[in-house]
Amino acid sequence: MQEMILILDFGSQYTQLIARRVRELNVYCEIHPWNKVPELGPHIKGVILSGSPFSTRDPEAPKPDLSAIRGHFPLLGVCFGAQYLAHHFGGEVMPSSIREYGRANLAAVDQNNPLTKGMSVNSQVWMSHGDTIKKIPAHYKVIASTSDVEYAGYMIEGETTFGIQFHPEVYHSLEGGILLRNFIVEICGCHQTWTPDSFVDVTVQELREKLGNDKVILGLSGGVDSSVAAMLLHRAIGDRLHCIFVDNGLLRKNEFASVLESYKDLGLNVKGVDASGQFYDALKGLTDPELKRKAIGKVFIDVFDAESKLVTDAKWLGQGTIYPDVIESVSVNGGPSQTIKSHHNVGGLPDYMKLKVVEPLRLLFKDEVRRVGRTLNLPEAILGRHPFPGPGLGIRILGEVNAEKVRILQEVDAIFINGLKEHGLYDNVWQAGAIFLPVQSVGVMGDERTYENAVALRAVSSTDGMTADWCHLPYEFLALISNKIINQVKGINRVTYDISSKPPATIEWE
């Protein structure tokens, strides 16, 4: 089995960042709920305990059984994990007299310790805790402190067990990468062989074994995720992959034709299906975001059910689901992480649909998907394309969706996206789009009063969609785009720009 780091999730908002930092070291890792530990074996090179919204003093707090882990595998407790290792084994954790959230600096660090070697005194770290460790057991040794937290880091003597109160996985912990590399490479002995090339080789082999001679139907969207998933499946099973691109009436302007054109040279078997009428009918009268998502998901499934019956003996539905989709839709593997919103392609299929699901990218982040795509020699025009939500413009139209609102938003979106490309800004933005707002406002065009619709423009920078910051686009560019939209798109008389980051906002408005 492939060597890996096991991350036990206690519900922290940062658990997925730990996974990304581990993978950046070319080491494979998996997140599992603290109460659903997978089979332990020599393929597991080390274990990390995540943070948690719980206090270790809370009667409802997680209480993991570490008897098969501690002392048998290198172990690193982060925040709650560190507090648990101290509190449960004879130390004391109490509410902080000074709550530390945000930046702090190490006042002392043991530069001879295998975990903290190479780190600097005064190194900036990121804290996020309401409790603090007041006392550690006798055989625990302090290896890092801040001016306010004496036990910012410790090790258990005679073991490769460590605890740290700060979050090395967060970018604001400036030397967090040094600490994580020390643990994963030096202490755990990982070989750093998990690369895009190795992922392709392993995944293709696993797909061949899993699928055998079966046929697979895949929903193509023209985006990075479904394209990379298609190429992996194509490499594994060849022409037994049947790709379907559905026009749900919620695509960008002229996207249906352009996407079909882009796949001509890739050797994929692609069929286009216009189902826009079915989607519009299903969305009629719906305004609640979750209801709209579910309606779009249902029609999506219905269309694929109908199309699958046209492919003799098709047994699988391939999807481009990636890790952030899974994390936001459901708790990680049934664990304690918070559900944010449902995704149309996550959560399984209804009983009446007889296709099994295959998701070759389910454990990858967006940046990892792009690296795999380059290994597969996908065109940069596809790999560099901004993410676009599965429900399309249906979740960028606030309120009820209809064909006229879609037409208006398509025109607005085209002006915005083409403007980003023409001004050399497109590649500096991770995702951009326009939102049709459920408000009208007074305006003046010529000598006439107008009472028309408003739109919001959204552009963010990110690496994986888990967090995002709004892009500081030039005022001159925004003024030009706003003027074009108002002058060229009938029905719009006001343009706004969204300057919210994620968190607290999400990238999409619905």
Side-chain angles (χ1 to χ4, degrees):
M1 296 180 69
Q2 180 171 274
E3 69 175 25
M4 60 173 274
I5 295 292
L6 170 62
I7 301 171
L8 295 184
D9 179 26
F10 295 92
S12 170
Q13 62 178 318
Y14 297 134
T15 303
Q16 291 77 36
L17 287 179
I18 298 175
R20 289 200 68 251
R21 300 297 171 261
V22 174
R23 293 182 184 189
E24 285 172 359
L25 292 166
N26 293 330
V27 174
Y28 181 66
C29 65
E30 288 183 5
I31 299 172
H32 289 265
W34 66 271
N35 56 352
K36 296 182 181 179
V37 179
E39 181 180 350
L40 301 172
H43 65 292
I44 294 182
K45 310 300 288 184
V47 180
I48 298 176
L49 308 180
S50 83
S52 175
F54 286 98
S55 164
T56 54
R57 299 172 296 105
D58 190 333
E60 303 299 319
K63 295 178 175 59
D65 178 6
L66 299 177
S67 59
I69 295 176
R70 186 184 154 190
H72 302 281
F73 299 91
L75 179 61
L76 174 64
V78 177
C79 197
F80 173 89
Q83 293 174 0
Y84 181 82
L85 287 171
H87 181 74
H88 186 70
F89 294 101
E92 185 178 11
V93 174
M94 297 294 291
S96 303
S97 55
I98 299 176
R99 293 164 67 86
E100 282 200 315
Y101 291 97
R103 294 173 180 83
N105 292 90
L106 296 179
V109 60
D110 184 349
Q111 295 173 322
N112 295 315
N113 186 272
L115 184 71
T116 50
K117 70 177 182 180
M119 296 185 70
S120 310
V121 177
N122 294 321
S123 178
Q124 179 181 289
V125 295
W126 189 263
M127 297 286 189
S128 181
H129 59 96
D131 288 348
T132 195
I133 301 168
K134 292 295 186 183
K135 184 177 74 172
I136 55 176
H139 56 299
Y140 286 38
K141 175 186 175 183
V142 180
I143 59 175
S145 304
T146 72
S147 57
D148 296 314
V149 177
E150 180 180 0
Y151 306 114
Y154 63 77
M155 72 169 293
I156 301 179
E157 295 177 318
E159 299 180 20
T160 51
T161 301
F162 307 84
I164 50 174
Q165 184 61 80
F166 55 92
H167 288 271
E169 69 274 18
V170 175
Y171 281 117
H172 296 90
S173 290
L174 299 183
E175 294 182 340
I178 295 175
L179 184 148
L180 288 173
R181 188 187 188 283
N182 286 341
F183 179 71
I184 292 161
V185 178
E186 303 298 332
I187 295 171
C188 296
C190 293
H191 291 92
Q192 296 183 276
T193 56
W194 195 71
T195 63
D197 286 336
S198 69
F199 175 83
V200 170
D201 292 341
V202 169
T203 302
V204 167
Q205 183 58 37
E206 288 177 347
L207 288 170
R208 285 173 179 160
E209 293 172 0
K210 182 176 185 175
L211 301 174
N213 293 319
D214 293 347
K215 295 178 183 178
V216 178
I217 296 176
L218 175 82
L220 276 178
S221 68
V224 178
D225 304 334
S226 67
S227 300
V228 174
M231 291 306 293
L232 281 169
L233 286 162
H234 179 67
R235 184 168 290 193
I237 64 172
D239 60 7
R240 294 196 304 280
L241 172 66
H242 296 259
C243 299
I244 299 169
F245 178 46
V246 176
D247 184 359
N248 59 9
L250 306 169
L251 304 174
R252 285 175 163 158
K253 185 178 180 181
N254 299 326
E255 189 170 23
F256 188 55
S258 64
V259 167
L260 289 174
E261 183 69 24
S262 69
Y263 286 113
K264 277 187 176 179
D265 298 329
L266 297 180
L268 296 176
N269 176 19
V270 184
K271 177 183 179 181
V273 179
D274 183 356
S276 53
Q278 292 173 247
F279 284 90
Y280 287 153
D281 288 343
L283 289 167
K284 194 171 296 181
L286 299 183
T287 59
D288 180 84
E290 276 297 291
L291 293 179
K292 289 198 293 184
R293 283 177 173 270
K294 291 182 186 303
I296 292 168
K298 182 181 183 304
V299 177
F300 174 83
I301 295 298
D302 289 344
V303 170
F304 269 84
D305 185 41
E307 290 299 324
S308 70
K309 293 173 181 175
L310 302 179
V311 180
T312 307
D313 296 328
K315 295 182 179 179
W316 297 85
L317 175 66
Q319 294 190 155
T321 309
I322 64 172
Y323 217 3
D325 297 340
V326 177
I327 293 162
E328 287 195 336
S329 293
V330 294
S331 299
V332 177
N333 291 337
S337 296
Q338 181 70 36
T339 297
I340 306 299
K341 59 189 176 185
S342 64
H343 285 259
H344 78 291
N345 58 342
V346 180
L349 298 170
D351 291 338
Y352 68 80
M353 192 170 182
K354 303 307 180 184
L355 295 178
K356 296 174 285 187
V357 175
V358 57
E359 298 169 314
L361 307 178
R362 188 177 179 85
L363 293 179
L364 293 188
F365 291 98
K366 178 70 75 173
D367 53 329
E368 294 173 320
V369 174
R370 285 198 169 97
R371 289 200 292 271
V372 169
R374 290 188 176 93
T375 296
L376 293 166
N377 297 317
L378 272 169
E380 282 298 323
I382 291 177
L383 294 178
R385 186 175 185 262
H386 287 179
F388 188 64
L393 301 181
I395 58 168
R396 291 184 178 176
I397 296 173
L398 277 58
E400 185 177 2
V401 177
N402 58 46
E404 177 60 13
K405 290 180 182 178
V406 171
R407 182 198 65 77
I408 290 173
L409 192 57
Q410 285 177 332
E411 296 294 334
V412 172
D413 180 84
I415 291 171
F416 185 30
I417 298 300
N418 290 337
L420 288 170
K421 292 177 179 178
E422 291 165 4
H423 288 80
L425 298 169
Y426 185 84
D427 291 337
N428 298 328
V429 174
W430 192 77
Q431 184 170 341
I435 298 90
F436 189 102
L437 303 180
V439 296
Q440 291 182 308
S441 66
V442 173
V444 177
M445 292 185 176
D447 294 324
E448 295 184 6
R449 173 188 183 276
T450 63
Y451 190 60
E452 294 183 329
N453 301 292
V455 292
L457 304 182
R458 180 81 158 134
V460 299
S461 59
S462 181
T463 56
D464 54 26
M466 297 301 297
T467 60
D469 197 9
W470 63 278
C471 289
H472 294 239
L473 297 178
Y475 289 150
E476 295 80 5
F477 170 77
L478 290 173
L480 175 66
I481 295 301
S482 174
N483 190 56
K484 273 191 174 183
I485 290 170
I486 292 171
N487 285 335
Q488 296 180 20
V489 183
K490 184 175 174 55
I492 299 296
N493 70 354
R494 191 174 299 271
V495 176
T496 65
Y497 187 58
D498 182 350
I499 59 170
S500 307
S501 296
K502 175 186 181 181
T506 54
I507 295 176
E508 300 294 343
W509 280 40
E510 291 190 341

Tab-separated table of all heavy atoms in Angstrom, residues 315-343:
chain	number	residue	atom	x	y	z
A	315	LYS	N	-22.412	1.043	-16.878
A	315	LYS	CA	-22.563	0.691	-15.462
A	315	LYS	C	-22.070	1.765	-14.502
A	315	LYS	O	-22.314	1.685	-13.295
A	315	LYS	CB	-21.823	-0.620	-15.186
A	315	LYS	CG	-22.426	-1.815	-15.912
A	315	LYS	CD	-21.697	-3.097	-15.566
A	315	LYS	CE	-22.322	-4.285	-16.290
A	315	LYS	NZ	-21.592	-5.557	-15.984
A	316	TRP	N	-21.345	2.765	-15.009
A	316	TRP	CA	-20.734	3.768	-14.137
A	316	TRP	C	-21.039	5.181	-14.617
A	316	TRP	O	-21.112	5.430	-15.812
A	316	TRP	CB	-19.214	3.594	-14.095
A	316	TRP	CG	-18.758	2.288	-13.532
A	316	TRP	CD1	-18.612	1.105	-14.211
A	316	TRP	CD2	-18.379	2.021	-12.183
A	316	TRP	NE1	-18.156	0.116	-13.379
A	316	TRP	CE2	-18.001	0.661	-12.114
A	316	TRP	CE3	-18.304	2.804	-11.021
A	316	TRP	CZ2	-17.567	0.065	-10.932
A	316	TRP	CZ3	-17.865	2.217	-9.842
A	316	TRP	CH2	-17.512	0.866	-9.801
A	317	LEU	N	-21.158	6.088	-13.663
A	317	LEU	CA	-21.234	7.524	-13.946
A	317	LEU	C	-19.968	8.175	-13.413
A	317	LEU	O	-19.712	8.163	-12.203
A	317	LEU	CB	-22.461	8.153	-13.282
A	317	LEU	CG	-22.575	9.676	-13.401
A	317	LEU	CD1	-22.780	10.072	-14.860
A	317	LEU	CD2	-23.719	10.209	-12.547
A	318	GLY	N	-19.143	8.705	-14.323
A	318	GLY	CA	-17.926	9.392	-13.915
A	318	GLY	C	-18.210	10.845	-13.602
A	318	GLY	O	-18.996	11.500	-14.282
A	319	GLN	N	-17.588	11.358	-12.550
A	319	GLN	CA	-17.782	12.757	-12.165
A	319	GLN	C	-16.448	13.394	-11.782
A	319	GLN	O	-15.537	12.720	-11.312
A	319	GLN	CB	-18.773	12.870	-11.000
A	319	GLN	CG	-20.174	12.449	-11.378
A	319	GLN	CD	-21.212	12.775	-10.320
A	319	GLN	OE1	-22.377	12.932	-10.638
A	319	GLN	NE2	-20.814	12.888	-9.065
A	320	GLY	N	-16.384	14.711	-11.966
A	320	GLY	CA	-15.163	15.452	-11.668
A	320	GLY	C	-15.153	16.037	-10.267
A	320	GLY	O	-14.529	17.067	-10.036
A	321	THR	N	-15.816	15.392	-9.330
A	321	THR	CA	-15.860	15.860	-7.952
A	321	THR	C	-14.455	15.992	-7.386
A	321	THR	O	-13.624	15.099	-7.535
A	321	THR	CB	-16.638	14.844	-7.085
A	321	THR	OG1	-17.886	14.567	-7.704
A	321	THR	CG2	-16.870	15.376	-5.690
A	322	ILE	N	-14.166	17.123	-6.716
A	322	ILE	CA	-12.878	17.302	-6.069
A	322	ILE	C	-13.081	17.527	-4.570
A	322	ILE	O	-14.199	17.681	-4.092
A	322	ILE	CB	-12.062	18.456	-6.708
A	322	ILE	CG1	-12.768	19.802	-6.517
A	322	ILE	CG2	-11.796	18.169	-8.171
A	322	ILE	CD1	-11.916	20.992	-6.963
A	323	TYR	N	-11.987	17.556	-3.849
A	323	TYR	CA	-12.028	17.575	-2.386
A	323	TYR	C	-12.847	18.731	-1.794
A	323	TYR	O	-13.665	18.516	-0.901
A	323	TYR	CB	-10.593	17.609	-1.860
A	323	TYR	CG	-10.370	16.800	-0.604
A	323	TYR	CD1	-11.382	16.030	-0.027
A	323	TYR	CD2	-9.122	16.787	0.015
A	323	TYR	CE1	-11.152	15.285	1.113
A	323	TYR	CE2	-8.883	16.048	1.154
A	323	TYR	CZ	-9.902	15.300	1.700
A	323	TYR	OH	-9.676	14.570	2.837
A	324	PRO	N	-12.649	19.990	-2.237
A	324	PRO	CA	-13.453	21.070	-1.652
A	324	PRO	C	-14.959	20.864	-1.829
A	324	PRO	O	-15.735	21.249	-0.958
A	324	PRO	CB	-12.970	22.311	-2.405
A	324	PRO	CG	-11.566	21.989	-2.783
A	324	PRO	CD	-11.603	20.530	-3.131
A	325	ASP	N	-15.394	20.241	-2.960
A	325	ASP	CA	-16.810	19.931	-3.149
A	325	ASP	C	-17.300	19.014	-2.036
A	325	ASP	O	-18.360	19.216	-1.446
A	325	ASP	CB	-17.046	19.216	-4.488
A	325	ASP	CG	-16.681	20.063	-5.691
A	325	ASP	OD1	-16.619	21.291	-5.544
A	325	ASP	OD2	-16.462	19.492	-6.766
A	326	VAL	N	-16.500	17.992	-1.768
A	326	VAL	CA	-16.876	16.999	-0.761
A	326	VAL	C	-16.903	17.636	0.626
A	326	VAL	O	-17.832	17.433	1.409
A	326	VAL	CB	-15.883	15.814	-0.783
A	326	VAL	CG1	-16.216	14.811	0.312
A	326	VAL	CG2	-15.892	15.130	-2.140
A	327	ILE	N	-15.884	18.426	0.923
A	327	ILE	CA	-15.763	19.035	2.240
A	327	ILE	C	-16.926	19.973	2.518
A	327	ILE	O	-17.500	19.990	3.614
A	327	ILE	CB	-14.419	19.801	2.347
A	327	ILE	CG1	-13.253	18.802	2.320
A	327	ILE	CG2	-14.366	20.639	3.624
A	327	ILE	CD1	-11.935	19.446	1.983
A	328	GLU	N	-17.306	20.794	1.520
A	328	GLU	CA	-18.377	21.757	1.740
A	328	GLU	C	-19.757	21.104	1.753
A	328	GLU	O	-20.688	21.646	2.328
A	328	GLU	CB	-18.339	22.849	0.663
A	328	GLU	CG	-17.183	23.817	0.838
A	328	GLU	CD	-17.350	25.078	0.015
A	328	GLU	OE1	-18.082	25.036	-0.998
A	328	GLU	OE2	-16.760	26.104	0.378
A	329	SER	N	-19.891	19.954	1.120
A	329	SER	CA	-21.209	19.332	1.006
A	329	SER	C	-21.544	18.448	2.189
A	329	SER	O	-22.663	18.436	2.678
A	329	SER	CB	-21.290	18.495	-0.262
A	329	SER	OG	-21.241	19.321	-1.392
A	330	VAL	N	-20.572	17.673	2.624
A	330	VAL	CA	-20.813	16.743	3.715
A	330	VAL	C	-19.616	16.748	4.637
A	330	VAL	O	-18.525	17.126	4.260
A	330	VAL	CB	-21.049	15.303	3.192
A	330	VAL	CG1	-22.328	15.205	2.402
A	330	VAL	CG2	-19.878	14.815	2.365
A	331	SER	N	-19.821	16.321	5.869
A	331	SER	CA	-18.703	16.179	6.786
A	331	SER	C	-17.710	15.193	6.184
A	331	SER	O	-18.084	14.220	5.553
A	331	SER	CB	-19.190	15.664	8.131
A	331	SER	OG	-20.102	16.578	8.711
A	332	VAL	N	-16.430	15.443	6.433
A	332	VAL	CA	-15.394	14.610	5.838
A	332	VAL	C	-15.586	13.157	6.276
A	332	VAL	O	-15.504	12.834	7.438
A	332	VAL	CB	-13.994	15.111	6.260
A	332	VAL	CG1	-12.914	14.192	5.707
A	332	VAL	CG2	-13.775	16.537	5.782
A	333	ASN	N	-15.883	12.304	5.299
A	333	ASN	CA	-16.103	10.877	5.547
A	333	ASN	C	-17.064	10.625	6.700
A	333	ASN	O	-16.913	9.696	7.477
A	333	ASN	CB	-14.762	10.183	5.838
A	333	ASN	CG	-13.879	10.132	4.606
A	333	ASN	OD1	-14.367	10.209	3.488
A	333	ASN	ND2	-12.583	10.025	4.800
A	334	GLY	N	-18.078	11.490	6.858
A	334	GLY	CA	-19.042	11.306	7.940
A	334	GLY	C	-18.561	11.853	9.263
A	334	GLY	O	-19.122	11.536	10.311
A	335	GLY	N	-17.524	12.689	9.237
A	335	GLY	CA	-16.926	13.184	10.470
A	335	GLY	C	-17.517	14.491	10.940
A	335	GLY	O	-18.609	14.885	10.548
A	336	PRO	N	-16.779	15.227	11.788
A	336	PRO	CA	-17.342	16.379	12.488
A	336	PRO	C	-17.259	17.707	11.764
A	336	PRO	O	-17.679	18.712	12.308
A	336	PRO	CB	-16.479	16.432	13.768
A	336	PRO	CG	-15.149	15.903	13.320
A	336	PRO	CD	-15.449	14.851	12.278
A	337	SER	N	-16.702	17.766	10.548
A	337	SER	CA	-16.557	19.060	9.885
A	337	SER	C	-17.911	19.649	9.521
A	337	SER	O	-18.857	18.946	9.219
A	337	SER	CB	-15.696	18.914	8.624
A	337	SER	OG	-14.387	18.515	8.967
A	338	GLN	N	-17.985	20.970	9.490
A	338	GLN	CA	-19.244	21.679	9.286
A	338	GLN	C	-19.687	21.639	7.831
A	338	GLN	O	-18.910	21.882	6.918
A	338	GLN	CB	-19.072	23.148	9.705
A	338	GLN	CG	-20.307	24.002	9.566
A	338	GLN	CD	-21.373	23.644	10.574
A	338	GLN	OE1	-21.078	23.297	11.689
A	338	GLN	NE2	-22.627	23.740	10.174
A	339	THR	N	-20.965	21.313	7.589
A	339	THR	CA	-21.525	21.363	6.239
A	339	THR	C	-21.806	22.813	5.851
A	339	THR	O	-22.428	23.547	6.606
A	339	THR	CB	-22.834	20.553	6.167
A	339	THR	OG1	-22.529	19.184	6.443
A	339	THR	CG2	-23.450	20.653	4.789
A	340	ILE	N	-21.346	23.247	4.687
A	340	ILE	CA	-21.541	24.621	4.230
A	340	ILE	C	-22.708	24.690	3.237
A	340	ILE	O	-23.656	25.432	3.420
A	340	ILE	CB	-20.259	25.164	3.553
A	340	ILE	CG1	-19.053	25.005	4.503
A	340	ILE	CG2	-20.440	26.619	3.151
A	340	ILE	CD1	-19.161	25.742	5.816
A	341	LYS	N	-22.658	23.914	2.169
A	341	LYS	CA	-23.723	23.911	1.169
A	341	LYS	C	-23.591	22.649	0.341
A	341	LYS	O	-22.521	22.038	0.266
A	341	LYS	CB	-23.636	25.146	0.267
A	341	LYS	CG	-22.318	25.294	-0.493
A	341	LYS	CD	-22.231	26.638	-1.170
A	341	LYS	CE	-20.875	26.816	-1.845
A	341	LYS	NZ	-20.708	28.149	-2.422
A	342	SER	N	-24.668	22.229	-0.269
A	342	SER	CA	-24.621	21.019	-1.076
A	342	SER	C	-24.068	21.327	-2.455
A	342	SER	O	-24.169	22.434	-2.953
A	342	SER	CB	-26.023	20.415	-1.205
A	342	SER	OG	-26.877	21.299	-1.901
A	343	HIS	N	-23.454	20.325	-3.064
A	343	HIS	CA	-22.978	20.436	-4.439
A	343	HIS	C	-23.746	19.452	-5.296
A	343	HIS	O	-24.061	18.347	-4.864
A	343	HIS	CB	-21.471	20.160	-4.514
A	343	HIS	CG	-20.646	21.303	-4.000
A	343	HIS	ND1	-20.018	22.198	-4.824
A	343	HIS	CD2	-20.399	21.721	-2.735
A	343	HIS	CE1	-19.383	23.113	-4.087
A	343	HIS	NE2	-19.601	22.827	-2.825
